[in-house]
Amino acid sequence: MLFINQIINGIQVGSIYALVALGYTMVYGIVKLINFAHGDFIMVGAYVSLFSIPLLLGMGLPAWLCVIFAVVTCSLLGVVTERVAYKPLRNSPRITALITAIAVSLLLQNLFMLIFSSSPKPFPAVFDKNQFNLGGVQFSGVTVITIVVSIVTMLALQMFVKNTKTGKAMRAVSEDGGASILMGINSNTTISVTFAIGSGLAAIAAVMYCSAYPLVDPYMGSMLGLKAFIAAVLGGIGIIPGAMLGGFVIGLVESMTKAYISSQLADAVVFGILIIVLLVKPTGILGKNVGEKV
């Protein structure tokens, strides 16, 4: 019974990692940038949700609508960050953009620490905490909602990228930015839309994460973002189904490690997976080696 419970817990946590990893993989797929500030967009979404819930309840609206405020705020933040911090460095060496992403991350963390202090704030219940019993296995409604939202979001995103005009523009810019401009695609708009969607996914992940672990602080996105990045690399960064697969695998590995080895070693095992993947198959589970013309 413990094993099944840990499987369910692992899938729940993995669903959150998958949502965040989708944001990483979208941005990398378009502009080949590892946006290390992405984890801090989760933190911003958590604070926006936290302060919007009393307003919603005061108007007689359900608390889960806070996700709308979070998505809008994080999407705007993602677009502004791209335009101000990343766009001027688009033709610079990748290490320059990477350092800038780390700087943006530190800026957001310290800004929110100055505004709200480093003390964790309790996050109110967004969903009903009903407990379900299936064959002797207990799980909460939050667990079901998190898993369903994650899977539906991934499927919707995959359909959006495959079937819509904007999605096709994203794939074109990802394939060859220069050629896409010659074909009349506005690459700046496409990149901004990509950052908006990726940051919006971080906001959804923030609400799901805070529903399961109801504390908000300025540094909450750091480790969550790193684990989601590992999930994206494991599945194959730049590949949407790969981000989902990597998120579930990392969640299950972390859950099983805490249950059967040591809770203190869980993070070490996750980072160990990153090292193994980079040594054995750097392109990830679903990634393919692509020859580069010289």
Side-chain angles (χ1 to χ4, degrees):
M1 208 61 69
L2 174 63
F3 177 78
I4 297 176
N5 279 326
Q6 291 305 121
I7 289 285
I8 294 173
N9 291 337
I11 294 175
Q12 179 188 6
V13 177
S15 298
I16 297 170
Y17 292 157
L19 280 173
V20 184
L22 284 171
Y24 272 114
T25 209
M26 283 190 67
V27 170
Y28 183 83
I30 300 295
V31 293
K32 300 297 182 287
L33 167 69
I34 304 296
N35 181 21
F36 277 120
H38 191 66
D40 298 288
F41 292 168
I42 301 168
M43 176 268 295
V44 173
Y47 272 103
V48 171
S49 300
L50 177 66
F51 292 112
S52 63
I53 287 173
L55 296 176
L56 291 167
L57 294 177
M59 292 186 290
L61 297 172
W64 60 264
L65 287 176
C66 67
V67 71
I68 297 175
F69 292 93
V71 168
V72 171
T73 303
C74 288
S75 295
L76 289 173
L77 177 63
V79 171
V80 171
T81 301
E82 190 277 325
R83 289 294 176 95
V84 174
Y86 301 147
K87 183 180 177 182
L89 303 174
R90 205 171 286 168
N91 297 318
S92 302
R94 289 188 185 180
I95 188 66
T96 306
L98 183 64
I99 293 171
T100 303
I102 296 172
V104 172
S105 172
L106 293 173
L107 172 65
L108 289 173
Q109 287 179 13
N110 286 279
L111 179 63
F112 273 71
M113 185 182 70
L114 285 172
I115 297 173
F116 301 111
S117 82
S118 59
S119 302
K121 298 183 184 299
F123 193 86
V126 176
F127 306 105
D128 292 333
K129 294 189 175 181
N130 297 326
Q131 293 290 325
F132 299 94
N133 192 309
L134 185 63
V137 179
Q138 284 194 339
F139 52 91
S140 66
V142 173
T143 299
V144 176
I145 292 170
T146 301
I147 295 170
V148 170
V149 166
S150 179
I151 294 174
V152 169
T153 302
M154 191 275 286
L155 293 174
L157 183 61
Q158 184 78 343
M159 292 176 63
F160 173 82
V161 172
K162 292 288 184 184
N163 301 321
T164 66
K165 184 178 179 180
T166 304
K168 292 175 181 177
M170 288 179 179
R171 285 190 285 146
V173 173
S174 174
E175 187 71 26
D176 192 324
S180 67
I181 294 173
L182 295 175
M183 295 300 292
I185 295 173
N186 189 325
S187 62
N188 289 328
T189 301
T190 302
I191 292 170
S192 293
V193 170
T194 303
F195 268 85
I197 293 174
S199 303
L201 292 172
I204 297 173
V207 176
M208 297 296 105
Y209 182 80
C210 291
S211 297
Y213 309 98
L215 284 177
V216 180
D217 68 78
Y219 300 103
M220 60 174 287
S222 298
M223 186 58 70
L224 179 56
L226 285 174
K227 289 179 180 178
F229 169 67
I230 294 171
V233 173
L234 175 62
I237 194 161
I239 303 171
I240 291 175
M244 202 74 182
L245 175 62
F248 284 130
V249 171
I250 293 297
L252 288 169
V253 168
E254 183 178 356
S255 180
M256 291 301 174
T257 302
K258 288 180 178 178
Y260 295 105
I261 301 176
S262 170
S263 59
Q264 296 178 339
L265 290 176
D267 291 346
V269 171
V270 170
F271 285 101
I273 290 174
L274 175 62
I275 296 171
I276 293 171
V277 170
L278 293 176
L279 290 174
V280 176
K281 199 173 189 295
T283 55
I285 296 172
L286 301 183
K288 296 180 181 178
N289 290 319
V290 179
E292 190 170 327
K293 294 180 180 180
V294 293

